[in-house]
Amino acid sequence: MVKFFKENKKIFIILFILLLFISCFRVLPIYFIEKIIDIANTSFNQENIYTIIKIGLFFILANIFKSFLFALSKWFSESNQARISTNLKILIFEKFSKIKFEYLNKINISSLSLSIIEDSEKIGENIITLYSEIILSFFTFLFGIYFFSRINFLLIIYVFPPVLILILIVNKISQNIKSIIFLSKAKLINILGLFNDGILGIKTLKVHQIEKDFLENIKKDSFSLQEIKIKQAKLKSINFFFSDITFIISFGITLIVTSIFVKKNYLTIGELTAILMYNHLLTDPILKLIELYPKIIEILNCLKRIEEIKTFPEEREKIYGKVDKIELKDVTIKFEKNILQSNIDLVIDSSFGIFGESGKGKSSLLNIISGSIKVETGNVFYYFNDKKVNYFPKISYMMQDDFIFNMSLKDNILLGNKNLIENELYICLMKFLLE
């Protein structure tokens, strides 16, 4: 997470400065409102009229500049959010392309891909917007404290404590929402994987006549997820209630306190009006942060899962070249802790065939020959023109569980060798159809 912000620190720093100025120009008009009303409440004269016009123009200009900064920050946010979204997808796939081949056999790629797609989309669409709302809320609150304390520090003492109590209650509810969101995410990934497998494998399920059993599993997981979401909705409703009454209570207390202060000549009418108009400067930022809390947790969890991908073991970058002979000496093929074949000595310098029952190590042998899997016991040597070389041959083969990409059958066949001539392509196509 820290690394992500470091990689994009220039964007976040510029946005931070923009939001600081926006917050400043959101509060500045309060001062102008206060002054205009106080002058309007004095005796009529020509000088006061000019002063009101002058302050009114400053009020308009301040708001125009604030709107300009808002528009600028919106453009900056959305354009950089698009860049982050694009770069994130590229970085994720680049990382996946470097993961060790044998490690890919140990993880559930189908489930992981669903999680990664969802996480990368949420980060790409929300990270800048979320950051902007958090920083803007923070600055607005600070300026609100300054504004209230400038007029009369006692206002903060009277208004803030009850608001703080309600904030603590809402925060407690938000903590429960956090744990439910995490559980909901895990359940959602599981049900999406099961649902995806069921649709893609519906023919297999029908052949084995177990589609009803599979449906029961989907129902069970779906109803479990439904219960979690209902509980989450309940907590969110309670959270909304306390958030809403926080503003009502704070406004009511402010109205009572400021009215008494006016009667005691602690405040002017202009200051009273400005305070009531901008009472939300203290409450809105906190309520906004409470509202954003579940989304903040969600995005942080997304970033954490994306960061975990970077811990997957990488293979060294391979150099490929032409070879005319491959030699295996005393090679042992293992699957996990089980030995499938041992003491293999083999020289390949022409066409050859590998025969054997399923699970006897044919695919593992091809992976060893191509260098996809590092040999644990024994050695593999590559030759070209009778000289030993330190690069790998490019070997393609059709896996038992090969993936068919969303492209034409011809393009899928040509993935292994784009230089196939028409006759060779026709033979491959016929073999594919016959299988």
Side-chain angles (χ1 to χ4, degrees), residues 79-110:
S79 58
N80 280 288
Q81 198 154 270
R83 291 189 186 99
I84 286 175
S85 181
T86 302
N87 292 337
L88 189 61
K89 287 181 177 63
I90 293 169
L91 287 170
I92 289 170
F93 189 78
E94 188 178 17
K95 171 60 186 177
F96 254 84
S97 67
K98 294 177 182 178
I99 296 173
K100 283 187 176 181
F101 191 86
E102 54 262 45
Y103 189 79
L104 292 172
N105 294 325
K106 297 177 183 178
I107 58 177
N108 187 336
I109 296 177
S110 176

Short mmCIF file of all heavy atoms in Angstrom, two decimals, residues 79-110:
data_model
loop_
_atom_site.label_atom_id
_atom_site.label_comp_id
_atom_site.label_asym_id
_atom_site.label_seq_id
_atom_site.Cartn_x
_atom_site.Cartn_y
_atom_site.Cartn_z
N SER A 79 -8.54 12.23 -14.85
CA SER A 79 -7.54 11.90 -15.87
C SER A 79 -6.43 11.02 -15.28
O SER A 79 -5.99 10.05 -15.91
CB SER A 79 -6.93 13.16 -16.48
OG SER A 79 -6.34 13.98 -15.49
N ASN A 80 -6.00 11.33 -14.05
CA ASN A 80 -4.97 10.52 -13.41
C ASN A 80 -5.51 9.20 -12.89
O ASN A 80 -4.78 8.21 -12.82
CB ASN A 80 -4.31 11.30 -12.27
CG ASN A 80 -3.28 12.29 -12.77
OD1 ASN A 80 -2.20 11.92 -13.23
ND2 ASN A 80 -3.62 13.57 -12.75
N GLN A 81 -6.79 9.17 -12.57
CA GLN A 81 -7.42 7.91 -12.16
C GLN A 81 -7.41 6.94 -13.34
O GLN A 81 -7.20 5.74 -13.17
CB GLN A 81 -8.85 8.17 -11.70
CG GLN A 81 -9.43 7.05 -10.86
CD GLN A 81 -10.51 7.53 -9.93
OE1 GLN A 81 -10.23 7.91 -8.80
NE2 GLN A 81 -11.73 7.51 -10.38
N ALA A 82 -7.67 7.46 -14.54
CA ALA A 82 -7.64 6.63 -15.75
C ALA A 82 -6.23 6.08 -15.98
O ALA A 82 -6.05 4.91 -16.34
CB ALA A 82 -8.10 7.44 -16.96
N ARG A 83 -5.21 6.93 -15.75
CA ARG A 83 -3.81 6.48 -15.91
C ARG A 83 -3.45 5.41 -14.90
O ARG A 83 -2.81 4.41 -15.24
CB ARG A 83 -2.86 7.68 -15.77
CG ARG A 83 -2.95 8.69 -16.89
CD ARG A 83 -1.83 9.72 -16.81
NE ARG A 83 -2.01 10.77 -17.79
CZ ARG A 83 -2.53 11.96 -17.54
NH1 ARG A 83 -2.93 12.24 -16.31
NH2 ARG A 83 -2.67 12.86 -18.49
N ILE A 84 -3.86 5.62 -13.65
CA ILE A 84 -3.56 4.65 -12.59
C ILE A 84 -4.23 3.32 -12.90
O ILE A 84 -3.63 2.24 -12.74
CB ILE A 84 -4.01 5.18 -11.21
CG1 ILE A 84 -3.04 6.27 -10.73
CG2 ILE A 84 -4.09 4.06 -10.17
CD1 ILE A 84 -3.45 6.95 -9.45
N SER A 85 -5.48 3.36 -13.36
CA SER A 85 -6.22 2.14 -13.70
C SER A 85 -5.51 1.36 -14.80
O SER A 85 -5.35 0.14 -14.70
CB SER A 85 -7.64 2.51 -14.15
OG SER A 85 -8.36 1.36 -14.46
N THR A 86 -5.05 2.08 -15.83
CA THR A 86 -4.34 1.43 -16.94
C THR A 86 -3.01 0.85 -16.47
O THR A 86 -2.69 -0.32 -16.76
CB THR A 86 -4.08 2.45 -18.07
OG1 THR A 86 -5.33 2.98 -18.51
CG2 THR A 86 -3.37 1.80 -19.24
N ASN A 87 -2.23 1.66 -15.76
CA ASN A 87 -0.91 1.21 -15.29
C ASN A 87 -1.02 0.02 -14.34
O ASN A 87 -0.18 -0.89 -14.36
CB ASN A 87 -0.17 2.36 -14.59
CG ASN A 87 0.22 3.46 -15.54
OD1 ASN A 87 0.34 3.22 -16.74
ND2 ASN A 87 0.41 4.66 -15.05
N LEU A 88 -2.07 0.02 -13.50
CA LEU A 88 -2.25 -1.06 -12.54
C LEU A 88 -2.49 -2.38 -13.25
O LEU A 88 -1.90 -3.41 -12.89
CB LEU A 88 -3.43 -0.73 -11.61
CG LEU A 88 -3.63 -1.64 -10.40
CD1 LEU A 88 -2.41 -1.61 -9.48
CD2 LEU A 88 -4.87 -1.23 -9.63
N LYS A 89 -3.34 -2.38 -14.28
CA LYS A 89 -3.61 -3.61 -15.03
C LYS A 89 -2.36 -4.12 -15.73
O LYS A 89 -2.08 -5.32 -15.75
CB LYS A 89 -4.73 -3.36 -16.05
CG LYS A 89 -6.11 -3.22 -15.42
CD LYS A 89 -7.15 -2.99 -16.49
CE LYS A 89 -8.54 -2.93 -15.89
NZ LYS A 89 -8.75 -1.82 -14.97
N ILE A 90 -1.59 -3.18 -16.29
CA ILE A 90 -0.34 -3.56 -16.97
C ILE A 90 0.65 -4.17 -15.99
O ILE A 90 1.27 -5.20 -16.25
CB ILE A 90 0.27 -2.35 -17.70
CG1 ILE A 90 -0.63 -1.91 -18.86
CG2 ILE A 90 1.68 -2.66 -18.20
CD1 ILE A 90 -0.26 -0.58 -19.47
N LEU A 91 0.81 -3.53 -14.82
CA LEU A 91 1.74 -4.01 -13.80
C LEU A 91 1.35 -5.38 -13.26
O LEU A 91 2.20 -6.25 -13.03
CB LEU A 91 1.83 -3.01 -12.65
CG LEU A 91 2.60 -1.72 -12.93
CD1 LEU A 91 2.40 -0.72 -11.79
CD2 LEU A 91 4.09 -2.00 -13.12
N ILE A 92 0.03 -5.59 -13.07
CA ILE A 92 -0.45 -6.87 -12.56
C ILE A 92 -0.14 -7.99 -13.56
O ILE A 92 0.38 -9.05 -13.19
CB ILE A 92 -1.97 -6.82 -12.26
CG1 ILE A 92 -2.23 -5.96 -11.02
CG2 ILE A 92 -2.53 -8.22 -12.03
CD1 ILE A 92 -3.69 -5.65 -10.78
N PHE A 93 -0.47 -7.75 -14.85
CA PHE A 93 -0.21 -8.80 -15.83
C PHE A 93 1.29 -9.02 -16.03
O PHE A 93 1.75 -10.15 -16.23
CB PHE A 93 -0.87 -8.47 -17.17
CG PHE A 93 -0.80 -9.63 -18.14
CD1 PHE A 93 -1.68 -10.70 -18.01
CD2 PHE A 93 0.16 -9.67 -19.13
CE1 PHE A 93 -1.61 -11.77 -18.87
CE2 PHE A 93 0.25 -10.75 -20.00
CZ PHE A 93 -0.64 -11.81 -19.87
N GLU A 94 2.05 -7.92 -15.97
CA GLU A 94 3.51 -8.04 -16.09
C GLU A 94 4.06 -8.92 -14.97
O GLU A 94 4.95 -9.76 -15.20
CB GLU A 94 4.14 -6.65 -16.03
CG GLU A 94 5.64 -6.65 -16.33
CD GLU A 94 6.23 -5.25 -16.30
OE1 GLU A 94 5.59 -4.33 -15.74
OE2 GLU A 94 7.34 -5.08 -16.82
N LYS A 95 3.53 -8.74 -13.77
CA LYS A 95 3.95 -9.57 -12.63
C LYS A 95 3.56 -11.02 -12.85
O LYS A 95 4.37 -11.94 -12.62
CB LYS A 95 3.32 -9.04 -11.34
CG LYS A 95 3.52 -9.93 -10.12
CD LYS A 95 4.98 -10.13 -9.78
CE LYS A 95 5.15 -11.14 -8.67
NZ LYS A 95 6.56 -11.41 -8.36
N PHE A 96 2.33 -11.25 -13.33
CA PHE A 96 1.87 -12.61 -13.57
C PHE A 96 2.72 -13.32 -14.63
O PHE A 96 2.96 -14.53 -14.54
CB PHE A 96 0.40 -12.60 -14.01
CG PHE A 96 -0.52 -13.08 -12.94
CD1 PHE A 96 -0.97 -12.21 -11.97
CD2 PHE A 96 -0.93 -14.39 -12.89
CE1 PHE A 96 -1.82 -12.63 -10.97
CE2 PHE A 96 -1.77 -14.84 -11.90
CZ PHE A 96 -2.22 -13.96 -10.93
N SER A 97 3.15 -12.57 -15.63
CA SER A 97 3.96 -13.17 -16.70
C SER A 97 5.34 -13.62 -16.21
O SER A 97 6.01 -14.40 -16.87
CB SER A 97 4.12 -12.18 -17.85
OG SER A 97 4.90 -11.06 -17.46
N LYS A 98 5.74 -13.13 -15.01
CA LYS A 98 7.05 -13.47 -14.47
C LYS A 98 6.99 -14.53 -13.37
O LYS A 98 8.03 -14.96 -12.87
CB LYS A 98 7.73 -12.21 -13.92
CG LYS A 98 8.07 -11.18 -14.99
CD LYS A 98 8.67 -9.93 -14.37
CE LYS A 98 8.98 -8.87 -15.42
NZ LYS A 98 9.51 -7.63 -14.80
N ILE A 99 5.78 -14.92 -12.95
CA ILE A 99 5.65 -15.89 -11.86
C ILE A 99 6.17 -17.25 -12.32
O ILE A 99 5.95 -17.67 -13.46
CB ILE A 99 4.17 -16.02 -11.42
CG1 ILE A 99 3.69 -14.69 -10.83
CG2 ILE A 99 4.00 -17.13 -10.39
CD1 ILE A 99 2.21 -14.67 -10.51
N LYS A 100 6.84 -17.95 -11.41
CA LYS A 100 7.37 -19.27 -11.72
C LYS A 100 6.26 -20.21 -12.17
O LYS A 100 5.19 -20.26 -11.58
CB LYS A 100 8.08 -19.86 -10.50
CG LYS A 100 9.47 -19.28 -10.26
CD LYS A 100 10.17 -20.02 -9.15
CE LYS A 100 11.60 -19.50 -8.96
NZ LYS A 100 12.31 -20.22 -7.89
N PHE A 101 6.56 -20.97 -13.22
CA PHE A 101 5.57 -21.88 -13.82
C PHE A 101 5.06 -22.89 -12.79
O PHE A 101 3.86 -23.14 -12.70
CB PHE A 101 6.19 -22.61 -15.01
CG PHE A 101 5.20 -23.36 -15.84
CD1 PHE A 101 4.52 -22.73 -16.86
CD2 PHE A 101 4.92 -24.70 -15.59
CE1 PHE A 101 3.60 -23.43 -17.64
CE2 PHE A 101 4.00 -25.40 -16.35
CZ PHE A 101 3.34 -24.76 -17.38
N GLU A 102 5.97 -23.45 -11.99
CA GLU A 102 5.56 -24.47 -11.02
C GLU A 102 4.68 -23.88 -9.92
O GLU A 102 3.84 -24.56 -9.34
CB GLU A 102 6.77 -25.18 -10.39
CG GLU A 102 7.80 -24.26 -9.79
CD GLU A 102 8.97 -24.02 -10.72
OE1 GLU A 102 8.72 -23.77 -11.92
OE2 GLU A 102 10.12 -24.09 -10.26
N TYR A 103 4.87 -22.56 -9.62
CA TYR A 103 4.04 -21.93 -8.60
C TYR A 103 2.61 -21.74 -9.10
O TYR A 103 1.65 -21.82 -8.32
CB TYR A 103 4.63 -20.57 -8.20
CG TYR A 103 3.94 -19.95 -7.01
CD1 TYR A 103 4.22 -20.36 -5.71
CD2 TYR A 103 2.98 -18.95 -7.19
CE1 TYR A 103 3.58 -19.80 -4.62
CE2 TYR A 103 2.33 -18.39 -6.10
CZ TYR A 103 2.63 -18.82 -4.82
OH TYR A 103 1.98 -18.27 -3.75
N LEU A 104 2.46 -21.51 -10.42
CA LEU A 104 1.13 -21.36 -11.00
C LEU A 104 0.30 -22.63 -10.84
O LEU A 104 -0.94 -22.57 -10.80
CB LEU A 104 1.24 -21.00 -12.48
CG LEU A 104 1.81 -19.61 -12.80
CD1 LEU A 104 2.06 -19.46 -14.29
CD2 LEU A 104 0.88 -18.51 -12.31
N ASN A 105 0.97 -23.78 -10.76
CA ASN A 105 0.26 -25.05 -10.56
C ASN A 105 -0.26 -25.21 -9.13
O ASN A 105 -1.09 -26.07 -8.87
CB ASN A 105 1.18 -26.23 -10.89
CG ASN A 105 1.56 -26.27 -12.37
OD1 ASN A 105 0.74 -25.92 -13.22
ND2 ASN A 105 2.77 -26.69 -12.67
N LYS A 106 0.25 -24.38 -8.20
CA LYS A 106 -0.11 -24.52 -6.78
C LYS A 106 -1.25 -23.59 -6.37
O LYS A 106 -1.78 -23.72 -5.27
CB LYS A 106 1.12 -24.23 -5.91
CG LYS A 106 2.26 -25.21 -6.11
CD LYS A 106 3.47 -24.81 -5.26
CE LYS A 106 4.65 -25.74 -5.51
NZ LYS A 106 5.85 -25.33 -4.72
N ILE A 107 -1.58 -22.63 -7.21
CA ILE A 107 -2.61 -21.66 -6.84
C ILE A 107 -3.87 -21.85 -7.69
O ILE A 107 -3.80 -22.39 -8.81
CB ILE A 107 -2.11 -20.20 -6.99
CG1 ILE A 107 -1.65 -19.91 -8.43
CG2 ILE A 107 -0.98 -19.93 -6.01
CD1 ILE A 107 -1.22 -18.49 -8.66
N ASN A 108 -5.00 -21.40 -7.15
CA ASN A 108 -6.27 -21.45 -7.89
C ASN A 108 -6.37 -20.20 -8.75
O ASN A 108 -6.84 -19.14 -8.30
CB ASN A 108 -7.43 -21.54 -6.89
CG ASN A 108 -8.76 -21.77 -7.59
OD1 ASN A 108 -8.94 -21.46 -8.77
ND2 ASN A 108 -9.71 -22.33 -6.85
N ILE A 109 -5.93 -20.31 -9.99
CA ILE A 109 -5.86 -19.14 -10.88
C ILE A 109 -7.26 -18.59 -11.17
O ILE A 109 -7.45 -17.38 -11.24
CB ILE A 109 -5.14 -19.50 -12.20
CG1 ILE A 109 -3.68 -19.86 -11.90
CG2 ILE A 109 -5.19 -18.34 -13.18
CD1 ILE A 109 -2.89 -20.28 -13.11
N SER A 110 -8.25 -19.47 -11.32
CA SER A 110 -9.61 -19.04 -11.63
C SER A 110 -10.16 -18.12 -10.54
O SER A 110 -10.67 -17.03 -10.82
CB SER A 110 -10.52 -20.26 -11.80
OG SER A 110 -11.85 -19.86 -12.01
#
